[in-house]
Amino acid sequence: MDPKLAAAKAALKYVESGYVVGVGSGSTALVFLNELAEAIKGGLISNVRLVATSTETEYEIVRLGLGELLRYPWQVNGITVAVDGADEVDEGKNLVKGGGGALTREKIIDYWADEFIVIVDESKLVDKVPSRHPIPIEVVPYAWPMVKAKLEKEYGGSAELRYSSSKRGPVVTDNCNYVIDYRPSLRIEPSEGERIIKGIPGVVEVGLFNGLKVSRVIVGKSDGSVYEFK
Ligand code: 5RP
């Protein structure tokens, strides 16, 4: 079984009828959404409401025929459980997210959830976050040169404006902002990095997610088995 599917199926066990479900973004989260859609259509789960973490996920919810269950964040009083993917996870459950540029709404919904479940395949596991992936940072468009300069002065390395491969010019997020991908040369501790980078004027959100906000990580393996850590 595909490791993403194995993790998605395991996450579905934490979703019950009546829940408000935060639905993550990216390929792994969309595998989970497909499983959830099947469970709803099959009558195994009922009376749920779905809060999407991106436009992509909103479209998928509608495409799967679940549009009536879709709610904006202001239409619910809370999120019972959020299920989302990640670009990197370490043993402290710290994450790098934002490979798909959806980090701001993801963090709002995921941090708001009573239970935040991360689903990944083994390729996402690293010793220490941030590691292989750059840190995505959503910025107000006209502020990007200043944020880039500040990051490079503070932590060294390089901060690059993310360009689109399918449109000319920079990637524009769901919130009409830009994304900087930052590779520091100095070691950044995730929770301190989250706090400091978020504090730079012009930064909307940073794709470092604090492990203390994550309830559990479900890892799908290539043999179809899964394991969890909390
Ligand atoms: C999007 C994200 C995704 O969760 C992350 O990029 C993982 O995606 P995938 O499951 O496709 O590897 O943070 O902004």
Side-chain angles (χ1 to χ4, degrees), residues 53-186:
T53 58
S54 63
T55 306
E56 175 197 34
T57 303
E58 281 174 6
Y59 283 167
E60 282 301 304
I61 288 171
V62 173
R63 194 185 65 78
L64 287 164
L66 303 178
E68 283 178 16
L69 306 180
L70 185 59
R71 296 289 182 279
Y72 288 109
W74 60 84
Q75 292 178 299
V76 296
N77 293 325
I79 308 286
T80 325
V81 63
V83 179
D84 206 344
D87 299 306
E88 289 185 359
V89 189
D90 69 18
E91 63 181 5
K93 298 178 286 157
N94 301 299
L95 315 174
V96 170
K97 284 185 56 56
L103 59 149
T104 298
R105 204 177 346 161
E106 288 178 324
K107 194 177 276 189
I108 292 168
I109 302 302
D110 294 344
Y111 275 24
W112 193 21
D114 298 339
E115 182 157 26
F116 171 23
I117 299 175
V118 174
I119 50 174
V120 289
D121 61 69
E122 282 186 300
S123 71
K124 305 293 183 62
L125 300 176
V126 298
D127 283 344
K128 286 268 175 241
V129 157
S131 179
R132 293 193 296 265
H133 287 78
I135 304 167
I137 302 168
E138 182 162 351
V139 293
V140 172
Y142 54 80
W144 79 264
M146 190 275 288
V147 175
K148 170 182 166 68
K150 178 96 177 152
L151 287 167
E152 291 175 351
K153 187 171 170 221
E154 203 85 19
Y155 291 109
S158 68
E160 302 303 332
L161 189 61
R162 188 182 295 182
Y163 272 76
S164 171
S165 54
S166 54
K167 119 182 200 306
R168 300 192 72 84
V171 165
V172 178
T173 69
D174 290 354
N175 312 305
C176 300
N177 293 314
Y178 290 173
V179 176
I180 287 176
D181 287 308
Y182 181 43
R183 290 186 185 276
S185 56
L186 298 178

